[in-house]
Amino acid sequence: MKALLRILLLTIISIFAVVIIWKTCRPKNNFANPSVINAERKVFTEEETKILNLELGMGKSEVERILGKPHKTESFIEDAFGFEIIIYYYDFGSIRFEAITEEHIVAEITIDKPGFKGPRDIQVGEDIADAIKKFPYNENSERKDGYRYLYGTEADAEYGYITYDENNEVSLVTYVCNSNPESPEGSIILSFETEKNKIDLIRIGKLYYSN
């Protein structure tokens, strides 16, 4: 009887040891395994493009009223579409205006300096893993051809994905809403460019035209 109890005890200890080793040695997910079904993590929406007291589609004169005159301006003709693009530079980064209406309107807002909040209070300099944890994340999705979907696919109206560089590091994280699989026009895009797993640039834009 004592021998049987000893064997049973050793078996339990062995199983416990194996579990501890597995938990210690298994690969760790830098994104803390957030789940796509977690109700606290909502998909990216158009409402979140309203940042720095600005919003997509705002006229150039309204931007100047809110932010004042830019530090520097730049203009050029977009070869793909043949219309004028104007870039305004401010402390936080830049604004791209496109000639969609009689007045140039905001088509893209870029933050490339720390201390300025983008969607969900994300800022330049933060860990990209922390930013990803603020959105849905499908831990079961597979990486393919340098990409990995976070939620949805290009066939959906809302989706997000990671782009990896040649060193298998995250180089870009993109979230799309209002997408039409048949045409990219009207899609709203939030992207985080990264450098060494830190956010280097935040960009919000709307595709008014497609080539």
Side-chain angles (χ1 to χ4, degrees), residues 47-104:
E47 185 67 24
E48 296 181 84
T49 63
K50 298 175 182 179
I51 60 171
L52 304 172
N53 296 318
L54 305 172
E55 59 183 285
L56 298 174
M58 182 178 284
K60 186 161 61 70
S61 58
E62 180 68 5
V63 170
E64 291 183 6
R65 186 190 69 79
I66 295 171
L67 299 180
K69 293 291 184 179
H71 304 321
K72 185 177 76 169
T73 64
E74 179 184 357
S75 64
F76 56 91
I77 301 298
E78 185 83 276
D79 292 337
F81 309 113
F83 56 71
E84 184 185 37
I85 302 297
I86 298 175
I87 309 293
Y88 274 14
Y89 294 90
Y90 289 97
D91 290 341
F92 60 83
S94 63
I95 303 172
R96 173 186 168 111
F97 297 93
E98 295 181 358
I100 308 302
T101 64
E102 292 183 1
E103 182 182 20
H104 283 69

Side-chain angles (χ1 to χ4, degrees), residues 97-114:
F97 297 93
E98 295 181 358
I100 308 302
T101 64
E102 292 183 1
E103 182 182 20
H104 283 69
I105 63 173
V106 176
E108 189 175 271
I109 303 170
T110 299
I111 301 174
D112 58 15
K113 304 290 191 306

Side-chain angles (χ1 to χ4, degrees), residues 7 15 122 191:
I7 292 173
I15 292 173
I122 298 170
S191 60

